[in-house]
Amino acid sequence: MIKRLTQTPDDAVFTLLRLFLGVVFFAHGAQKALGLFGGYGFAGTVQGFTHMGMPAALAVFVILTEFLGSICLLLVAFTRLAGLAITALMLGAIFMVHASNGFFMNWFGQQKGEGFEYHLLAIALALGLAIRGAGAYSVDRVITSDRTQSTGVRGAARAQV
């Protein structure tokens, strides 16, 4: 099970995808969880989301996914789980809030809210990481390669006997 979660190609492109998505989600998650970067912090964010009609459990899921998911991406552990959680979060944001505002972001303040183009980009990055893994230079890769190498050594020893 751990091998399936941590298996990843030795590809630096996925490392770049992971780092960029991790930085963006860390900023958003730190606003919601810690009150950094002008955010309201955990209690304020839960209160704000529930005031808008979101169940408290879902508000906690949003906060934890953005904050802990970004940390997983940046610390390079369990990238596939983080990618799946971020994908679910972004799909929820599209269907619950942003779809009614159209495709485009509200760059010039000419529509009632933000569209979902940003969310599609985040989904593309997160799904790529969920499907393929963290890439080169990752804890996930070290975990997988150690397990593969140790299994290979035992298998080779058995073959010689």
Side-chain angles (χ1 to χ4, degrees), residues 43-145:
T45 301
V46 170
Q47 182 181 16
F49 281 165
T50 56
H51 182 71
M52 292 187 301
M54 182 184 289
L58 188 55
V60 170
F61 170 78
V62 168
I63 295 166
L64 293 178
T65 296
E66 287 189 6
F67 188 63
L68 296 178
S70 68
I71 290 172
C72 284
L73 293 176
L74 293 170
L75 296 180
V76 244
F78 302 107
T79 299
R80 289 178 189 268
L81 288 177
L84 287 174
I86 289 170
T87 298
L89 174 69
M90 292 291 99
L91 286 171
I94 288 172
F95 291 112
M96 292 179 67
V97 179
H98 299 281
S100 63
N101 298 323
F103 180 77
F104 294 103
M105 300 295 291
N106 191 10
W107 292 105
F108 303 107
Q110 298 175 346
Q111 60 194 47
K112 65 178 184 168
E114 299 290 344
F116 58 88
E117 64 180 318
Y118 158 80
H119 303 84
L120 289 179
L121 290 173
I123 288 169
L125 292 173
L127 268 180
L129 293 169
I131 293 167
R132 293 295 307 266
Y137 316 111
S138 67
V139 174
D140 287 348
R141 183 149 177 77
V142 170
I143 291 169
T144 302
S145 65

Side-chain angles (χ1 to χ4, degrees), residues 16-30:
L16 287 174
L17 299 178
R18 178 178 41 76
L19 291 174
F20 279 102
L21 188 64
V23 166
V24 169
F25 270 84
F26 179 79
H28 286 274

Side-chain angles (χ1 to χ4, degrees), residues 5-18:
L5 290 175
T6 59
Q7 188 174 14
T8 186
D10 187 18
D11 190 337
V13 171
F14 289 98
T15 302
L16 287 174
L17 299 178
R18 178 178 41 76

